[in-house]
Amino acid sequence: MREMKFGVCIPHYGRPIDIDALTNMAVQAEQMGFDSVWVTDHMIVHHPLPGRQDMVSRNEKLEPIRLVTHLGALTSDVHIGTGVAILPYRDPIFLAKAIAPADVLSKG
């Protein structure tokens, strides 16, 4: 029988970006027994969301690959990743070179 695993997606957007809060969310998720921590890869939102001034996102979002590298270096047991990787945004060779340090720095 397979066991159910739980992950959490943490918000890495909004105003102001609080890296300490993001780091604490990942560390606390690990301490609480979550299996994984995720961020999103929607780097560009073309317009503000009606009624949600806290989610205007063009310049208020951290790039996900660099963020998972940071979070992976600060955690040890939880899996870290992006919900998706929107490949047309990136050159595949540069994407592979950007992901490799996340694997090395987090020790896999």
Side-chain angles (χ1 to χ4, degrees), residues 3-93:
E3 68 180 88
M4 187 175 293
K5 296 185 178 190
F6 290 91
V8 62
C9 182
I10 60 173
H12 60 106
Y13 46 81
R15 293 183 220 141
I17 293 174
D18 185 344
I19 193 61
D20 291 330
L22 290 171
T23 300
N24 288 336
M25 281 184 236
V27 170
Q28 287 181 4
E30 180 176 52
Q31 291 170 349
M32 293 172 66
F34 281 89
D35 298 292
S36 56
V37 173
W38 302 89
V39 297
T40 61
D41 192 29
H42 298 287
M43 296 188 299
I44 299 171
V45 174
H46 299 288
H47 54 82
L49 299 173
R52 292 296 307 268
Q53 298 308 315
D54 62 322
M55 291 182 67
V56 178
S57 190
R58 191 172 293 262
N59 295 317
E60 294 87 7
K61 182 173 274 192
L62 295 176
E63 197 281 323
I65 303 302
R66 288 170 181 83
L67 179 56
V68 297
T69 300
H70 171 74
L71 297 176
L74 299 174
T75 57
S76 58
D77 294 325
V78 69
H79 295 281
I80 305 286
T82 62
V84 297
I86 303 175
L87 296 178
Y89 286 165
R90 299 178 178 89
D91 177 281
I93 293 172

